[in-house]
């Protein structure tokens, strides 16, 4: 079960080659920048075109921020999930770090915000507010509350405690930067929220968490040629084609499965990426997520035996970063000695392998995306794999991957109702 590099395989042969032209036409829309939303393709070559000066500035500031106790990241959607996904995936579960990263502004819970304010008031903290538009309601509201707190605590020094990530020229937050001289980073015009994790939006908080973003970008750079190759052997083309064929064959739900709970927020990032990109014109696979083996004891039954509208995409991690052996017990009270000295990671992998076999027997198709290990380098590759696959898949579906008219509708409706509160 060795895995040296990124690998992908499928539960069955769906004759992907038959759809090659269609898939490559979709890829061409990205490479030739001639599809709907083509002005939003800045993420495609980000590992080469990123602003090196700004990147160094981010690094310097992250070192200063890490000398405090805590960074509060305010943002929602694409201005939240990427950073949270990477940080959770790469930080140890319990190891106490003297430096914490907390998130807010991604819901409207007054209890959460009030507790957060009480908690951080006792700490030495910085704030990074992230909003490309500068005016997203949840973010703006949380920022207002935290700005007041920060100014009360730090007085004049509060100017150095607030870091703003927003559009280079436009929006309320940029205006605030220009007026008050806050430290700021920019979100490129040609990169939308859910594709922005490899810009300052994701990278600055990730750097503050002490994660090696150079390695993440190297991971992306190392797969650039492979994942943009005009060939049906391109893993992104294969995956996008596989899920499109299944969609045409009346599958309606894709489960992203992990057997490492640290990837829980990576799944949330994935769900946003695909749902906001594909859920248009009454089309698109509904994407869901499950953590195995935990969820096998709940809705695993539905996947195995229920309505046959589901398929699965497994993220298979070949080697665990930390492993544990099953201890030998003299009395063998639980009759598990037959596994003594076996690796728990190997047992976890066998459980998933067995589940995959059972699900395939139960007529549930699956994709396996295999990486050697969870690391900044491999997470970079995974991010780019899903971004590229998502854009190809959305173009195969005939929708614009880069807009979100439905979300904009909700925002409009909410503002209308809020105005009536007066
Ligand atoms: O993917 C998207 O574009 C959205 O999810 C946005 O990221 C989200 O609505 C937040 O927008 P903003 O960064 O403008 O506050």
């Amino acid at each position: 079960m060795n895995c040296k590099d990124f690998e992908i395989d499928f539960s069955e042969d769906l004759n992907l080659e038959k759809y090659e032209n269609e898939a490559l036409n979709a890829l061409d829309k990205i490479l030739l920048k001639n599809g709907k939303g083509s002005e939003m393709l800045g993420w495609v070559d980000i590992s080469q075109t990123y602003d090196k000066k700004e990147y160094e500035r981010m690094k310097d500031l992250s070192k200063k921020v890490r000398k405090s106790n805590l960074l509060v990241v305010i943002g929602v959607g694409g201005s939240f999930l990427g950073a949270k996904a990477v940080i959770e995936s790469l930080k140890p579960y319990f190891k106490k770090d003297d430096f914490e990263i907390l998130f807010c502004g991604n819901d409207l819970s007054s209890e959460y915000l009030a507790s957060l304010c009480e908690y951080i008031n006792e700490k030495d903290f910085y704030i990074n507010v992230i909003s490309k538009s500068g005016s997203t309601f949840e973010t703006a509201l949380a920022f207002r509350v935290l700005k007041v707190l920060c100014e009360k605590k730090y007085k004049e020094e509060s100017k150095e405690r607030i870091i703003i990530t927003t559009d280079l020229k436009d929006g309320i937050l940029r205006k605030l930067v220009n007026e008050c001289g806050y430290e700021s980073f920019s979100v490129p015009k040609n990169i939308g929220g859910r594709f922005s994790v490899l810009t300052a939006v994701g990278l600055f908080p990730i750097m503050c968490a002490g994660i090696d973003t150079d390695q993440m970008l190297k991971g992306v750079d190392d797969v650039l040629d492979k994942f943009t190759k005009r060939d049906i052997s391109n893993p992104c083309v294969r995956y996008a084609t596989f899920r499109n064929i299944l969609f045409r064959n009346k599958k309606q739900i894709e489960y992203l499965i992990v057997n490492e709970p640290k990837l829980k927020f990576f799944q949330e990032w994935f769900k946003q990426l695909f749902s906001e990109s594909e859920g248009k014109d009454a089309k698109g696979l509904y994407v869901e997520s499950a953590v195995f083996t935990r969820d096998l004891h709940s809705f695993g039954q539905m996947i195995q035996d229920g309505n046959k509208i589901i398929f699965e995409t497994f993220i298979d991690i070949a080697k665990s970063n930390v492993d544990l052996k099953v201890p030998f017990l003299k009395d063998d009270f639980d009759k598990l000695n037959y596994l003594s000295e076996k690796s728990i990671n190997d047992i976890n992998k066998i459980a998933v392998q067995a589940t995959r076999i059972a699900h395939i027997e139960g007529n549930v198709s699956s994709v396996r995306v295999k990486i050697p290990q969870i690391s900044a380098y491999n997470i970079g590759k995974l991010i780019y794999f899903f971004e590229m696959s998502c854009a190809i898949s959305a173009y195969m579906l005939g929708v614009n991957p880069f807009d979100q008219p439905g979300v904009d509708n909700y925002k409009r409706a909410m503002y209308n109702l809020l105005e009536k509160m007066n």
Side-chain angles (χ1 to χ4, degrees):
M1 285 199 267
N2 243 344
C3 170
K4 287 204 181 72
D5 198 0
F6 183 98
E7 290 170 17
I8 184 165
D9 60 64
F10 303 92
S11 57
E12 68 240 57
D13 180 4
L14 290 182
N15 197 4
L16 302 184
E17 284 66 22
K18 200 175 134 201
Y19 300 82
E20 180 166 9
N21 280 345
E22 214 179 306
L24 295 185
N25 279 342
L27 176 62
D28 279 344
K29 290 196 165 64
I30 300 163
L31 301 180
L32 305 173
K33 299 191 185 261
N34 60 9
K36 289 182 203 161
S38 60
E39 68 286 0
M40 300 307 286
L41 287 164
W43 55 274
V44 173
D45 53 5
I46 190 75
S47 63
Q48 305 197 330
T49 57
Y50 69 93
D51 180 340
K52 316 283 181 303
K53 269 199 186 143
E54 182 177 72
Y55 186 74
E56 288 312 315
R57 206 157 52 76
M58 283 194 261
K59 271 191 175 170
D60 290 344
L61 187 56
S62 72
K63 284 179 199 142
K64 185 169 159 199
V65 170
R66 274 183 71 74
K67 288 190 182 130
S68 71
N69 305 136
L70 188 152
L71 173 72
V72 185
V73 179
I74 312 174
V76 68
S79 291
F80 155 57
L81 286 164
K84 176 86 173 165
V86 175
I87 294 169
E88 297 265 308
S89 301
L90 294 170
K91 295 303 279 181
Y93 279 110
F94 298 112
K95 197 170 158 220
K96 227 176 129 23
D97 195 347
D98 290 338
F99 181 77
E100 270 183 282
I101 300 208
L102 299 174
F103 291 84
C104 71
N106 47 73
D107 56 41
L108 293 171
S109 162
S110 55
E111 184 172 342
Y112 180 82
L113 204 53
S115 301
L116 180 81
C117 288
E118 204 183 307
Y119 182 71
I120 67 171
N121 205 24
E122 304 300 313
K123 311 263 176 179
D124 178 14
F125 70 87
Y126 280 79
I127 294 172
N128 180 202
V129 56
I130 309 175
S131 176
K132 184 178 181 187
S133 60
S135 52
T136 300
F137 184 71
E138 291 86 339
T139 310
L141 198 63
F143 181 45
R144 170 182 276 245
V145 172
L146 290 189
K147 188 169 176 290
V148 169
L149 180 89
C150 186
E151 284 167 358
K152 207 165 153 205
K153 182 170 162 116
Y154 292 110
K155 314 273 180 314
E156 250 318 284
E157 202 209 319
S158 66
K159 290 235 164 74
E160 283 159 40
R161 297 279 172 163
I162 294 174
I163 302 151
I164 297 184
T165 306
T166 191
D167 186 89
L168 184 60
K169 290 199 183 111
D170 299 324
I172 299 171
L173 287 180
R174 181 52 63 189
K175 195 164 164 259
L176 193 69
V177 170
N178 294 339
E179 282 169 8
C180 303
Y182 293 118
E183 215 20 288
S184 74
F185 301 116
S186 58
V187 190
K189 270 254 182 292
N190 59 358
I191 302 184
R194 57 192 172 275
F195 288 83
S196 69
V197 51
L198 298 166
T199 71
V201 170
L203 294 181
F204 180 66
I206 294 168
M207 283 175 186
C208 289
I211 291 165
D212 188 344
T213 51
D214 292 358
Q215 278 301 310
M216 281 178 71
L217 289 169
K218 182 169 176 356
V220 177
D221 213 42
D222 284 356
V223 287
L224 198 56
D225 288 346
K226 190 171 169 186
F227 289 0
T228 52
K229 193 168 172 205
R230 280 195 86 269
D231 197 279
I232 193 74
S233 66
N234 174 339
C236 303
V237 172
R238 292 186 85 70
Y239 173 50
T241 307
F242 191 82
R243 58 199 304 287
N244 271 267
I245 298 172
L246 291 179
F247 180 65
R248 288 170 216 198
N249 292 347
K250 304 279 176 265
K251 297 292 175 198
Q252 290 172 17
I253 301 174
E254 174 183 23
Y255 265 93
L256 183 71
I257 310 282
V258 299
N259 64 345
E260 175 50 73
K262 285 173 103 179
L263 295 180
K264 185 86 205 79
F265 264 91
F266 192 87
Q267 294 174 309
E268 298 303 313
W269 170 82
F270 166 92
K271 286 196 272 188
Q272 187 212 0
L273 181 68
F274 279 83
S275 305
E276 270 197 334
S277 302
E278 291 201 306
K280 288 155 207 173
D281 305 340
K283 294 187 213 171
L285 281 161
Y286 186 90
V287 286
E288 250 305 341
S289 61
V291 178
F292 284 178
T293 59
R294 184 187 72 194
D295 293 331
L296 291 171
H297 297 262
S298 60
F299 52 83
Q301 172 64 33
M302 174 58 86
I303 301 179
Q304 181 77 47
D305 284 340
N307 197 344
K308 294 291 162 209
I309 52 173
I310 295 169
F311 76 95
E312 297 168 305
T313 295
F314 287 83
I315 298 182
D316 188 354
I317 302 143
K319 190 171 175 291
S320 171
N321 287 336
V322 185
D323 203 4
L324 203 61
K325 296 250 182 332
V326 179
F328 174 82
L329 289 185
K330 255 190 183 157
D331 62 357
D332 195 22
F333 78 94
D334 49 10
K335 301 282 173 274
L336 288 178
N337 264 357
Y338 74 102
L339 291 173
S340 69
E341 296 313 311
K342 295 276 183 292
S343 137
I344 292 186
N345 184 50
D346 287 347
I347 294 172
N348 189 9
K349 283 198 293 184
I350 284 170
V352 173
Q353 202 186 342
T355 312
R356 197 175 178 220
I357 292 169
H359 286 182
I360 293 170
E361 279 167 7
N363 247 331
V364 181
S365 304
S366 65
V367 183
R368 183 168 56 160
V369 176
K370 207 165 167 187
I371 56 166
Q373 204 159 8
I374 299 184
S375 64
Y377 179 72
N378 289 322
I379 290 287
K381 285 187 181 184
L382 263 192
I383 287 172
Y384 195 71
F385 168 73
F386 284 118
E387 286 182 344
M388 183 54 76
S389 302
C390 175
I392 298 172
S393 182
Y395 276 138
M396 286 184 81
L397 209 58
V399 300
N400 176 354
F402 307 114
D403 63 357
Q404 52 282 326
V407 180
D408 295 341
N409 285 349
Y410 134 76
K411 286 185 185 172
R412 255 194 309 278
M414 183 174 67
Y415 279 119
N416 283 342
L417 288 181
L418 286 173
E419 269 163 29
K420 288 186 191 139
M421 276 177 91
N422 275 322

